[in-house]
Amino acid sequence: MRNKGFTLAELLAVIVILGLVAVIAVPAVTKTLGGTKSELCEDQLKNIKEAARLYGSDHMLELPDNEGETKTITLKDLQMGGYIKENLENPKNKQEINSGLTITITKQGQNKWKYEVEDFCNS
């Protein structure tokens, strides 16, 4: 009468196959997660820029008057005004984004301003 278990060779074959699947899958998953963190960071930058636009629309008299002139505000200004939440986190390194992060507002024509956020994603 024969035992109904697996042989050592069958178990080793299964382990080798699972190992190969892991070798193929782990780098793909890691790359996908890294890309997702970059996308989240870019979204965070867009949200800060949008908050700065809202700030600008509420503080029109403080914006630059002449083309090429700039005004700099900080993340803290946006947080204190309630335009963006406090304790923002960089998705890439899980560190809090410095409240001294600068946003530059540049006059670019009649009733047009350009908003540039200091890039914290690539630091």
Side-chain angles (χ1 to χ4, degrees), residues 13-87:
V14 169
I15 291 171
V16 167
I17 291 170
L18 289 175
L20 289 173
V21 169
V23 165
I24 293 169
V26 168
V29 170
T30 303
K31 183 178 177 182
T32 301
L33 289 176
T36 302
K37 287 180 182 179
S38 293
E39 289 173 12
L40 284 172
C41 202
E42 292 299 322
D43 286 344
Q44 191 83 285
L45 282 170
K46 288 177 187 174
N47 288 338
I48 293 170
K49 192 180 286 189
E50 187 59 33
R53 282 192 182 98
L54 292 171
Y55 173 93
S57 67
D58 286 346
H59 297 88
M60 291 291 289
L61 297 175
E62 298 173 22
L63 294 180
D65 290 327
N66 300 314
E67 192 166 338
E69 287 183 350
T70 63
K71 174 180 176 63
T72 302
I73 59 175
T74 64
L75 185 60
K76 186 153 189 85
D77 295 328
L78 298 177
Q79 291 169 335
M80 288 176 49
Y83 297 98
I84 201 160
K85 72 176 190 169
E86 295 188 20
N87 304 323

